[in-house]
Amino acid sequence: MAEKMEVKELDQVVVRFSGDSGDGMQLAGNIFSTVSATVGNGISTFPDYPADIRAPQGSLTGVSGFQVHIGAGRVYTPGDKCDVLVAMNAAALKTQYKYAKPQATIIIDTDSFGPKDLEKANFKTEDYLGEMGIDSDRVVQCPLTKMVKDCLADSGMDNKAILKCRNMFALGIVCWLFNRDLNLVANFLREKFAKKPQLAENNIKVVQAGYDYGHNTHASVPATYRIESTTKEKGRYMDITGNKATAYGLIAAAEKAGLKLFLGSYPITPATDILHELSKHKSCGVITVQCEDEISGCASAVGASFAGALAATSTSGPGVCLKSEAINLAVIDELPLVIVDVQRGGPSTGLPTKSEQTDLLQALYGRNGESPMPVIAATSPTDCFDAAYQAAKIALEHLTPVMLLTDAFIANGSAAWKLPNIADLDAINPHYVKPEQKGCYTPYERDPESLVRYWAIPGQEGYTHILGGLEKDGKTGAISTEPENHNEMCHLRAEKVARIPVPDVEVYGDKNDADLLLVGFGSTFGHLYSAMEELQKEGKKVALAQFKYINPLPKNTAEVLTKYKKVVVAEQNLGQFAAFLRSKVDNFAPYQFNEVKGQPFVVTELVASFKEILEK
């Protein structure tokens, strides 16, 4: 029997699973993060997919990674570098070791480090650890493939199916290392493979074997670790991705407004999961249509909106380009529509599986003519729910299309999310026609305060009307080419959007006396907040303003941006948000931090850059 291991308490830890695209690293990482969320840990995940559809096995370009950061309290980022790296083959070790801390524990499958594997990974010698400068005392060298084959020798599974279970053995070792309850893993697998119960049991057996291997050998690992939860707020929690949270936010908004939800969409990475998720919820009144192209996906949603549904369309940057004509139809018709843009690396096909914030100016201005539209940017995977809900609320109450920006980082990443009570969500009151308008209704009659037109649903007796892509007379609704009318309608559409009430931007940190204000938008919140905390630990006076509402900007924007000695705008593009803010705030001349790497920010790099600005 193995000696009793010491159990050490940790506040947080980062684990990175890596291997071939077919090695199930995303599943292993998802299970570990779900189990961690179940016991109350804070989590943040980052799936790092290869851009190749299916690269050759063992190749450097085909490595898939999944990083999860778990903590006793709230966790804001997936972590800069990992404490534990699982490398299922030589290519994974070669490409992923740069994401490991110097003292990290590395778990490898020695059966996947043969001469051919090393050659594919461009190793020059068989001493791959020495070649990379890795201390072998930090490496758990496990003949993982052989042990999985032995474990499932009597299962009746063929060799190919057995090899697909290797990820569960690696998960078992990690669960042992972090003292995780295998019953939670078993519950997850039995639910996932409910239609194949024997497959579930085989995977559970392999997880147990991996756990036992760690327990009985614990070579080069001095202790197991426990991360206790400090979460105090009671409630039901789940590990949720940004795309799923977006889908749930749209469902909740339709429920609250008493409407059907319609999604017209065309599959595109990394937005497709929204379509997949919504297609599962017909019982909630959700209608999904997978269209033949992007413009028809959006055009079908415009038609559903005209017919009285809460309409949405989901896509990524290239799809927004293609949808722009149909989006503009919703602008001129003043119909409610939510456009979800899950941003990815560009331009063109670019980096389909990577993340950027490069669609901001396209969201604001990427349509012909004067085409004003509200823009909201979600700040985290869990905030995607609230952002989608608020986008739908604005669309329905102000009769306008709304662009919701997420990106691949938060769309595929996940966090622990407390399920809300729908009764506690903001009311949604679509701006419908009034009874006294019956018989004399014209489609562009407006509320004098908000300038929102009144929404009549086709088929309502006494509210017959026509909408279309040609400019209409603001009083009669008839087609008009009159110069003064067009000028007035352009101003009205712009002013209607400008009058939409949005919350003030919140300032975190040393809000009253900061020497440096960090400014960001959308998904960079966690990294910028963490950078602020690190700088504060060093005695620096730093604050953070993270923008969620981009158009219209919060009313306190100019006050916040001009209050501090120095301001730096940090974004994952070449300066789009900084340029937009300069156009809106007089005499605003910020420093800028811009990266377009297809990867999330690295907190240590942010801290170093912000220190330089403080010292100038």
Short mmCIF file of all heavy atoms in Angstrom, two decimals, residues 46-81:
data_model
loop_
_atom_site.label_atom_id
_atom_site.label_comp_id
_atom_site.label_asym_id
_atom_site.label_seq_id
_atom_site.Cartn_x
_atom_site.Cartn_y
_atom_site.Cartn_z
N PHE A 46 -10.28 28.10 -20.94
CA PHE A 46 -9.88 28.59 -22.27
C PHE A 46 -9.60 27.40 -23.18
O PHE A 46 -8.54 26.80 -23.10
CB PHE A 46 -8.65 29.48 -22.16
CG PHE A 46 -8.09 29.91 -23.50
CD1 PHE A 46 -8.91 30.49 -24.45
CD2 PHE A 46 -6.75 29.73 -23.81
CE1 PHE A 46 -8.42 30.88 -25.68
CE2 PHE A 46 -6.24 30.11 -25.04
CZ PHE A 46 -7.08 30.70 -25.98
N PRO A 47 -10.56 27.02 -24.03
CA PRO A 47 -10.27 25.99 -25.04
C PRO A 47 -9.46 26.60 -26.16
O PRO A 47 -9.82 27.65 -26.69
CB PRO A 47 -11.68 25.58 -25.52
CG PRO A 47 -12.64 26.23 -24.59
CD PRO A 47 -11.96 27.43 -24.04
N ASP A 48 -8.36 25.97 -26.52
CA ASP A 48 -7.46 26.49 -27.55
C ASP A 48 -7.41 25.49 -28.69
O ASP A 48 -6.61 24.56 -28.70
CB ASP A 48 -6.07 26.71 -26.95
CG ASP A 48 -5.17 27.54 -27.85
OD1 ASP A 48 -5.67 28.05 -28.86
OD2 ASP A 48 -3.97 27.66 -27.54
N TYR A 49 -8.31 25.68 -29.67
CA TYR A 49 -8.44 24.71 -30.77
C TYR A 49 -7.43 25.00 -31.87
O TYR A 49 -7.09 26.16 -32.13
CB TYR A 49 -9.84 24.80 -31.40
CG TYR A 49 -10.99 24.59 -30.47
CD1 TYR A 49 -11.71 25.67 -29.98
CD2 TYR A 49 -11.38 23.32 -30.09
CE1 TYR A 49 -12.79 25.49 -29.12
CE2 TYR A 49 -12.46 23.12 -29.25
CZ TYR A 49 -13.17 24.21 -28.77
OH TYR A 49 -14.23 24.03 -27.93
N PRO A 50 -6.97 23.95 -32.58
CA PRO A 50 -6.17 24.20 -33.78
C PRO A 50 -7.06 24.69 -34.91
O PRO A 50 -8.26 24.41 -34.93
CB PRO A 50 -5.58 22.82 -34.10
CG PRO A 50 -6.57 21.85 -33.54
CD PRO A 50 -7.15 22.51 -32.31
N ALA A 51 -6.48 25.45 -35.83
CA ALA A 51 -7.26 25.95 -36.96
C ALA A 51 -7.49 24.88 -38.02
O ALA A 51 -8.43 24.95 -38.79
CB ALA A 51 -6.56 27.16 -37.58
N ASP A 52 -6.62 23.85 -38.05
CA ASP A 52 -6.77 22.77 -39.03
C ASP A 52 -8.03 21.96 -38.71
O ASP A 52 -8.33 21.68 -37.55
CB ASP A 52 -5.57 21.82 -38.98
CG ASP A 52 -4.25 22.54 -39.18
OD1 ASP A 52 -4.03 23.53 -38.47
OD2 ASP A 52 -3.45 22.10 -40.01
N ILE A 53 -8.76 21.58 -39.75
CA ILE A 53 -9.94 20.75 -39.53
C ILE A 53 -9.53 19.42 -38.92
O ILE A 53 -10.10 18.96 -37.95
CB ILE A 53 -10.71 20.53 -40.86
CG1 ILE A 53 -11.31 21.86 -41.33
CG2 ILE A 53 -11.82 19.48 -40.67
CD1 ILE A 53 -11.99 21.78 -42.67
N ARG A 54 -8.54 18.76 -39.45
CA ARG A 54 -7.98 17.56 -38.83
C ARG A 54 -6.55 17.39 -39.31
O ARG A 54 -6.31 16.81 -40.38
CB ARG A 54 -8.82 16.32 -39.16
CG ARG A 54 -8.44 15.09 -38.32
CD ARG A 54 -8.61 15.38 -36.82
NE ARG A 54 -8.05 14.35 -35.99
CZ ARG A 54 -8.75 13.29 -35.55
NH1 ARG A 54 -10.00 13.15 -35.89
NH2 ARG A 54 -8.18 12.41 -34.77
N ALA A 55 -5.63 17.95 -38.56
CA ALA A 55 -4.22 17.86 -38.92
C ALA A 55 -3.75 16.42 -38.76
O ALA A 55 -4.36 15.62 -38.04
CB ALA A 55 -3.40 18.78 -38.01
N PRO A 56 -2.65 16.04 -39.43
CA PRO A 56 -2.11 14.67 -39.28
C PRO A 56 -1.82 14.36 -37.81
O PRO A 56 -1.38 15.23 -37.05
CB PRO A 56 -0.82 14.72 -40.10
CG PRO A 56 -1.04 15.81 -41.11
CD PRO A 56 -1.89 16.83 -40.41
N GLN A 57 -2.09 13.13 -37.42
CA GLN A 57 -1.89 12.72 -36.04
C GLN A 57 -0.43 12.92 -35.62
O GLN A 57 0.49 12.58 -36.33
CB GLN A 57 -2.28 11.25 -35.87
CG GLN A 57 -2.32 10.79 -34.42
CD GLN A 57 -2.89 9.39 -34.29
OE1 GLN A 57 -3.08 8.70 -35.30
NE2 GLN A 57 -3.16 8.96 -33.09
N GLY A 58 -0.25 13.52 -34.45
CA GLY A 58 1.08 13.74 -33.91
C GLY A 58 1.79 14.95 -34.46
O GLY A 58 2.95 15.20 -34.12
N SER A 59 1.10 15.74 -35.31
CA SER A 59 1.74 16.91 -35.91
C SER A 59 1.68 18.11 -34.97
O SER A 59 0.81 18.21 -34.11
CB SER A 59 1.08 17.27 -37.24
OG SER A 59 -0.26 17.66 -37.03
N LEU A 60 2.59 19.05 -35.16
CA LEU A 60 2.66 20.23 -34.31
C LEU A 60 1.44 21.13 -34.49
O LEU A 60 1.00 21.78 -33.54
CB LEU A 60 3.94 21.02 -34.61
CG LEU A 60 5.26 20.31 -34.27
CD1 LEU A 60 6.44 21.10 -34.80
CD2 LEU A 60 5.39 20.10 -32.76
N THR A 61 0.89 21.18 -35.70
CA THR A 61 -0.25 22.08 -35.96
C THR A 61 -1.58 21.50 -35.49
O THR A 61 -2.58 22.21 -35.46
CB THR A 61 -0.36 22.40 -37.47
OG1 THR A 61 -0.52 21.18 -38.20
CG2 THR A 61 0.88 23.12 -37.95
N GLY A 62 -1.59 20.21 -35.13
CA GLY A 62 -2.85 19.58 -34.75
C GLY A 62 -3.10 19.52 -33.26
O GLY A 62 -4.05 18.87 -32.82
N VAL A 63 -2.27 20.19 -32.46
CA VAL A 63 -2.41 20.09 -31.00
C VAL A 63 -3.59 20.93 -30.52
O VAL A 63 -3.74 22.09 -30.88
CB VAL A 63 -1.11 20.55 -30.30
CG1 VAL A 63 -1.30 20.54 -28.79
CG2 VAL A 63 0.04 19.63 -30.69
N SER A 64 -4.42 20.31 -29.71
CA SER A 64 -5.59 20.97 -29.11
C SER A 64 -5.36 21.10 -27.61
O SER A 64 -4.91 20.16 -26.95
CB SER A 64 -6.85 20.13 -29.37
OG SER A 64 -7.98 20.71 -28.75
N GLY A 65 -5.65 22.28 -27.08
CA GLY A 65 -5.44 22.52 -25.65
C GLY A 65 -6.71 22.97 -24.95
O GLY A 65 -7.63 23.49 -25.57
N PHE A 66 -6.75 22.71 -23.65
CA PHE A 66 -7.86 23.18 -22.83
C PHE A 66 -7.28 23.58 -21.47
O PHE A 66 -6.77 22.73 -20.74
CB PHE A 66 -8.93 22.10 -22.63
CG PHE A 66 -10.18 22.59 -21.95
CD1 PHE A 66 -11.32 22.89 -22.67
CD2 PHE A 66 -10.23 22.78 -20.57
CE1 PHE A 66 -12.47 23.35 -22.04
CE2 PHE A 66 -11.37 23.23 -19.92
CZ PHE A 66 -12.50 23.52 -20.67
N GLN A 67 -7.34 24.87 -21.16
CA GLN A 67 -6.77 25.37 -19.90
C GLN A 67 -7.89 25.74 -18.94
O GLN A 67 -8.86 26.39 -19.33
CB GLN A 67 -5.88 26.58 -20.17
CG GLN A 67 -5.12 27.07 -18.93
CD GLN A 67 -3.88 27.85 -19.30
OE1 GLN A 67 -3.01 27.35 -20.02
NE2 GLN A 67 -3.77 29.09 -18.83
N VAL A 68 -7.77 25.32 -17.70
CA VAL A 68 -8.78 25.64 -16.69
C VAL A 68 -8.08 26.19 -15.45
O VAL A 68 -7.09 25.63 -14.97
CB VAL A 68 -9.66 24.42 -16.35
CG1 VAL A 68 -8.84 23.22 -15.93
CG2 VAL A 68 -10.67 24.77 -15.25
N HIS A 69 -8.58 27.29 -14.97
CA HIS A 69 -8.08 27.95 -13.76
C HIS A 69 -9.15 27.80 -12.69
O HIS A 69 -10.29 28.22 -12.89
CB HIS A 69 -7.84 29.44 -14.07
CG HIS A 69 -7.23 30.23 -12.96
ND1 HIS A 69 -6.98 31.58 -13.06
CD2 HIS A 69 -6.81 29.87 -11.71
CE1 HIS A 69 -6.43 32.02 -11.94
NE2 HIS A 69 -6.33 31.00 -11.11
N ILE A 70 -8.83 27.14 -11.58
CA ILE A 70 -9.79 26.98 -10.50
C ILE A 70 -9.26 27.67 -9.25
O ILE A 70 -8.06 27.71 -9.01
CB ILE A 70 -10.09 25.49 -10.22
CG1 ILE A 70 -8.82 24.72 -9.82
CG2 ILE A 70 -10.74 24.83 -11.42
CD1 ILE A 70 -9.09 23.28 -9.43
N GLY A 71 -10.17 28.26 -8.48
CA GLY A 71 -9.76 28.99 -7.30
C GLY A 71 -10.76 28.87 -6.18
O GLY A 71 -11.91 28.48 -6.37
N ALA A 72 -10.30 29.24 -4.99
CA ALA A 72 -11.17 29.19 -3.82
C ALA A 72 -12.28 30.22 -3.92
O ALA A 72 -13.40 30.00 -3.48
CB ALA A 72 -10.35 29.42 -2.54
N GLY A 73 -11.97 31.38 -4.51
CA GLY A 73 -12.96 32.43 -4.69
C GLY A 73 -13.20 32.68 -6.17
O GLY A 73 -13.03 31.79 -7.01
N ARG A 74 -13.54 33.91 -6.51
CA ARG A 74 -13.83 34.24 -7.90
C ARG A 74 -12.54 34.21 -8.71
O ARG A 74 -11.50 34.68 -8.26
CB ARG A 74 -14.48 35.62 -8.01
CG ARG A 74 -14.92 35.96 -9.42
CD ARG A 74 -15.72 37.24 -9.47
NE ARG A 74 -16.07 37.54 -10.86
CZ ARG A 74 -16.69 38.65 -11.24
NH1 ARG A 74 -17.05 39.55 -10.34
NH2 ARG A 74 -16.96 38.87 -12.51
N VAL A 75 -12.62 33.67 -9.93
CA VAL A 75 -11.48 33.58 -10.83
C VAL A 75 -11.81 34.42 -12.07
O VAL A 75 -12.87 34.27 -12.66
CB VAL A 75 -11.20 32.12 -11.22
CG1 VAL A 75 -10.17 32.04 -12.32
CG2 VAL A 75 -10.74 31.33 -9.99
N TYR A 76 -10.87 35.30 -12.48
CA TYR A 76 -11.16 36.25 -13.55
C TYR A 76 -10.59 35.85 -14.90
O TYR A 76 -11.06 36.31 -15.93
CB TYR A 76 -10.62 37.63 -13.17
CG TYR A 76 -11.35 38.27 -12.02
CD1 TYR A 76 -10.84 38.21 -10.73
CD2 TYR A 76 -12.57 38.92 -12.21
CE1 TYR A 76 -11.51 38.79 -9.66
CE2 TYR A 76 -13.24 39.51 -11.15
CZ TYR A 76 -12.71 39.44 -9.88
OH TYR A 76 -13.39 40.01 -8.83
N THR A 77 -9.52 35.03 -14.92
CA THR A 77 -8.88 34.65 -16.18
C THR A 77 -8.54 33.16 -16.16
O THR A 77 -8.52 32.55 -15.09
CB THR A 77 -7.57 35.43 -16.41
OG1 THR A 77 -6.53 34.89 -15.58
CG2 THR A 77 -7.74 36.91 -16.08
N PRO A 78 -8.24 32.58 -17.32
CA PRO A 78 -7.80 31.18 -17.34
C PRO A 78 -6.37 31.00 -16.84
O PRO A 78 -5.88 29.87 -16.79
CB PRO A 78 -7.91 30.80 -18.83
CG PRO A 78 -8.67 31.88 -19.48
CD PRO A 78 -8.43 33.11 -18.67
N GLY A 79 -5.71 32.09 -16.49
CA GLY A 79 -4.34 32.01 -16.00
C GLY A 79 -3.34 32.22 -17.12
O GLY A 79 -3.56 31.82 -18.26
N ASP A 80 -2.23 32.88 -16.79
CA ASP A 80 -1.18 33.09 -17.80
C ASP A 80 -0.47 31.78 -18.14
O ASP A 80 -0.31 31.43 -19.30
CB ASP A 80 -0.14 34.08 -17.26
CG ASP A 80 -0.66 35.52 -17.25
OD1 ASP A 80 -1.79 35.74 -17.70
OD2 ASP A 80 0.07 36.40 -16.78
N LYS A 81 -0.03 31.05 -17.09
CA LYS A 81 0.69 29.80 -17.29
C LYS A 81 0.17 28.75 -16.32
O LYS A 81 -0.41 29.09 -15.28
CB LYS A 81 2.20 30.01 -17.13
CG LYS A 81 2.78 30.92 -18.21
CD LYS A 81 4.29 30.77 -18.32
CE LYS A 81 4.81 31.54 -19.54
NZ LYS A 81 6.26 31.36 -19.73
#
